[in-house]
Amino acid sequence: MVRIVALYGSPRKSGNTAMLLSRAVEGAREAGAVVDCFYLRDLKISPCLELYGCKASGRCIIEDDFHKIADAILQSRGIMLASPVFFYTVSAHTKIFMDRCQSLWVKRYWIDAVPFGSKDYPRRGFFIAAGATQGKKLFDGVLLTARYFFDALGADLWDSLLVRGVDAEGDVLHRPQDLITAQEKGKEFARVLIESF
C-alpha cells in the first residue's frame, strides 16, 4: 500500500492552497493511496537552531512535533506540499518545517553518503502553490525552494499545480477547473506511485 504525506502550509485552514490540497488528497485516496495529512499551522515546530546534533544519526535533537511528520515522510513514497506565495517564497509555517528538514538532508548526504546530484529518489513530490498576482516570475522562487526541499527528502519534483490570481479566502471556489485539476493530479500522483514502487 502506497503512503503519501500531505503538508498543509497555509496559515488559513480553509485558504486557497488548503482547498486545492484537500482536493488532491481526495483524488489520491480515490486511487488507492493512504494519505497522512499535517496542518503545519497547528503543530509546535521550532525553527532550525543549527545545533547539528543530527550529524550523529540524521535525527534532529529538538523534541517537538517535527518528528511525527519526519517519521511519516520516511515511511512514505510520496509527499504533497501546498503553500501560498509570500514574498516569492513559501509561507513561514512551511519554511520553518523545511529548515528543520536539514536533519534529513544530513542523513541523506552525509550519513547515507548519497552522491550529490544523484537522481536515485525513493520518493516523489507534488507541489501546489497559489498567489495573488499575475506576474511572470510569481512562482520562480517557490518552485526552486520546493525542488531543493524535495531533494533533501529523497524525492524528485514529479509535478506542480500553480494557480495565479487568488488571494482572498475562498477565491479558488470561483475557479472550479483548478479544483478539478487538483483532484485529477492527486489521483494521477497516487497512480504513478502505485505503478512505480
Side-chain angles (χ1 to χ4, degrees):
M1 186 171 297
V2 165
R3 297 195 82 89
I4 295 172
V5 169
L7 302 172
Y8 288 78
S10 177
R12 299 186 297 204
K13 264 197 159 174
S14 56
N16 296 304
T17 57
M19 289 185 202
L20 290 163
L21 181 53
S22 289
R23 292 295 292 271
V25 166
E26 188 179 328
R29 287 178 173 155
E30 286 172 359
V34 173
V35 185
D36 299 311
C37 297
F38 296 95
Y39 290 84
L40 299 179
R41 60 163 266 169
D42 292 340
L43 301 172
K44 295 193 184 312
I45 301 176
S46 166
C48 176
L49 301 177
E50 288 194 291
L51 302 171
Y52 277 102
C54 58
K55 288 200 298 188
S57 67
R59 186 179 195 280
C60 181
I61 62 171
I62 301 169
E63 291 299 333
D64 59 14
D65 290 338
F66 167 77
H67 294 287
K68 61 182 165 186
I69 307 176
D71 291 345
I73 286 171
L74 292 174
Q75 294 170 23
S76 75
R77 289 298 184 190
I79 304 143
M80 295 194 288
L81 169 67
S83 174
V85 177
F86 286 178
F87 291 97
Y88 288 83
T89 191
V90 294
S91 70
H93 298 89
T94 307
K95 188 62 168 67
I96 285 172
F97 177 76
M98 286 179 164
D99 288 354
R100 284 291 295 285
C101 288
Q102 176 69 11
S103 57
L104 299 178
W105 184 94
V106 165
K107 175 155 180 28
R108 178 172 169 79
Y109 288 111
W110 286 1
I111 295 171
D112 296 344
V114 172
F116 289 112
S118 169
K119 300 301 180 193
D120 182 22
Y121 293 117
R123 295 174 193 84
R124 290 197 168 143
F126 173 43
F127 179 58
I128 296 172
T133 73
Q134 298 290 340
K136 287 182 185 177
K137 297 188 176 183
L138 175 61
F139 297 111
D140 288 6
V142 290
L143 279 172
L144 191 58
T145 300
R147 190 176 304 281
Y148 280 100
F149 167 66
F150 284 133
D151 178 80
L153 305 180
D156 65 334
L157 178 57
W158 168 78
D159 201 359
S160 58
L161 173 59
L162 310 173
V163 180
R164 287 181 167 82
V166 293
D167 188 18
E169 190 169 343
D171 277 356
V172 78
L173 294 174
H174 305 292
R175 308 268 294 268
Q177 187 55 52
D178 290 325
L179 294 167
I180 292 167
T181 300
Q183 188 163 349
E184 289 304 311
K185 281 185 179 278
K187 197 177 292 184
E188 185 183 354
F189 184 51
R191 285 180 182 145
V192 165
L193 296 176
I194 289 166
E195 289 169 6
S196 62
F197 291 107

